[in-house]
Amino acid sequence: MMSLSTREAYGIAIESLGDKYDFWVMDADLSKATMTHLFGEKFPDRFVNMGISESDLMTTAAGIASCGQMVFASTFAIFAAGRAFEQIRNSIAYTGLNVKIAATHGGVLIGEDGGSHQCIEDISLMRTLPNMTVIAPCDEASTFSAVEAAVKVSGPVYLRFGRFPAENVYTEGHVPFVVGKGNVIEDGDDVVIFAIGDMVSNAIKAAGMLAADGLSAAVIDMHTIKPIDKELILEYAFKTGAVVTAEDHNIIGGLGSAVAEVLAENPHAVLRRLGVKDTFGRSGKRKDLEEYFGLTSKDIYEKCRDAIASKNPNK
């Protein structure tokens, strides 16, 4: 069943949380796309549209935060992590200010916008910054929980959201969300799939395909990429001996790299990574892009079969 997109859920979340918490929201002339206009209409005294000026957006957000005010700074991922990287690095992360960077339209699965707007480097850039927490929720319910969890983090947080409606992963209204702790969606013994964003629902479908083969796959929503849940990674690496990561991001620097860093220091499992293979995006329908870049549930299934066969050629 499809839910709202995570960007839409973000807009509704900050509007609803505006009565509960004291924060400002800023945008860069994309408030209808990022859905921050909902907050702006309800709390006009705490909303600022900076215009097409992402570097100013981040610097001004840092200035407001330096006066003790929490700020959500929102724009597309390519403009937040890309265009304003220096301002995020030096004005927000370096100083550890309480700015939440809400980046929508992350990944290649955003449709016809093409390679110039399909940001597949943002997780890599953000997770290299000291003090920065990096979160990517997978559906409507988890987005609500992720935004409130980010409010409670003292310091900078990068939140990544998708463009199109997401499939429901969680059925309950409020999702347990602990920053830095992955959520086990399905348990299994033969392989574990760590996934983020839209790839979580595809991982669940892949687990179903493996079950039809008589294989048991664990699926984990690794919503926090930094700090990564090392304890959970090692637990399931020991348990299954085969690890697969799935993300709508460059294969270099994202979730797969974060998991690889953990396993490189504790090599107890075969690792296979699924993501965009170090190439820029292309314009197309979401479904076509998913197939072109090898991000479907079938692709995850095949990675899992390969990982299982590599740990045990007779299985």
Side-chain angles (χ1 to χ4, degrees):
M1 181 178 175
M2 301 300 285
S3 71
L4 294 175
S5 67
T6 51
R7 71 179 170 87
E8 291 172 306
Y10 161 66
I12 296 170
I14 55 172
E15 180 200 21
S16 63
L17 293 172
D19 287 316
K20 187 175 180 181
Y21 301 100
D22 185 19
F23 57 79
W24 281 40
V25 173
M26 305 180 70
D27 206 291
D29 205 34
L30 289 169
S31 57
K32 288 189 177 178
T34 63
M35 302 301 290
T36 58
H37 70 96
L38 298 175
F39 183 93
E41 291 161 5
K42 187 174 181 180
F43 306 101
D45 294 340
R46 290 190 277 148
F47 179 75
V48 180
N49 187 340
M50 294 292 293
I52 305 172
S53 179
E54 291 80 9
S55 299
D56 287 343
L57 166 71
M58 297 303 172
T59 303
T60 306
I64 294 171
S66 71
C67 299
Q69 183 68 60
M70 185 193 317
V71 182
F72 278 82
S74 311
T75 186
F76 287 1
I78 187 63
F79 304 132
R83 185 172 295 168
F85 177 77
E86 190 271 331
Q87 285 73 25
I88 292 175
R89 180 188 184 278
N90 287 340
S91 299
I92 296 173
Y94 184 62
T95 53
L97 289 170
N98 202 12
V99 177
K100 317 307 176 188
I101 301 154
T104 69
H105 295 65
V108 294
L109 302 180
I110 64 171
E112 292 87 343
D113 287 353
S116 64
H117 283 56
Q118 292 167 330
C119 188
I120 52 172
E121 308 87 4
D122 54 332
I123 294 174
S124 176
L125 287 165
M126 291 297 115
R127 64 182 284 265
T128 62
L129 293 176
N131 298 325
M132 186 67 75
T133 296
V134 181
I135 293 173
C138 66
D139 70 357
E140 177 183 342
S142 65
T143 297
F144 282 106
S145 299
V147 172
E148 184 160 21
V151 168
K152 297 175 182 177
V153 173
S154 179
V157 178
Y158 183 82
L159 290 150
R160 189 196 215 221
F161 305 115
R163 177 184 183 183
F164 290 121
E167 292 196 39
N168 280 321
V169 172
Y170 298 96
T171 55
E172 54 192 293
H174 182 76
V175 177
F177 195 105
V178 178
V179 172
K181 295 294 180 184
N183 286 352
V184 180
I185 307 298
E186 294 186 10
D187 206 353
D189 299 315
D190 292 311
V191 63
V192 57
I193 309 167
F194 293 101
I196 56 170
D198 292 337
M199 292 298 103
V200 178
S201 60
N202 282 358
I204 294 171
K205 293 174 188 172
M209 298 165 71
L210 291 163
D213 294 345
L215 295 168
S216 168
V219 177
I220 295 177
D221 172 16
M222 194 58 92
H223 51 71
T224 307
I225 301 98
K226 185 186 178 185
I228 197 79
D229 191 345
K230 294 180 182 177
E231 185 177 332
L232 193 61
I233 293 170
L234 293 177
E235 177 188 341
Y236 274 85
F238 274 118
K239 181 178 181 179
T240 67
V243 175
V244 171
T245 61
E247 59 189 317
D248 178 9
H249 185 273
N250 194 329
I251 200 71
I252 298 172
L255 171 68
S257 293
V259 172
E261 289 164 13
V262 175
L263 294 178
E265 295 176 349
N266 305 272
H268 299 296
V270 171
L271 172 65
R272 297 289 183 270
R273 295 179 296 152
L274 181 143
V276 179
K277 297 175 181 62
D278 196 25
T279 182
F280 287 107
R282 298 187 65 161
S283 180
K285 300 291 185 186
R286 175 184 168 142
K287 184 176 182 300
D288 294 335
L289 292 169
E290 201 172 45
E291 293 177 357
Y292 181 85
F293 288 105
L295 302 175
T296 67
S297 54
K298 184 173 184 293
D299 292 308
I300 299 173
Y301 162 81
E302 290 173 351
K303 284 285 184 188
C304 290
R305 290 299 310 239
D306 181 44
I308 293 169
S310 296
K311 70 167 178 172
N312 181 3
N314 297 320
K315 196 156 187 178

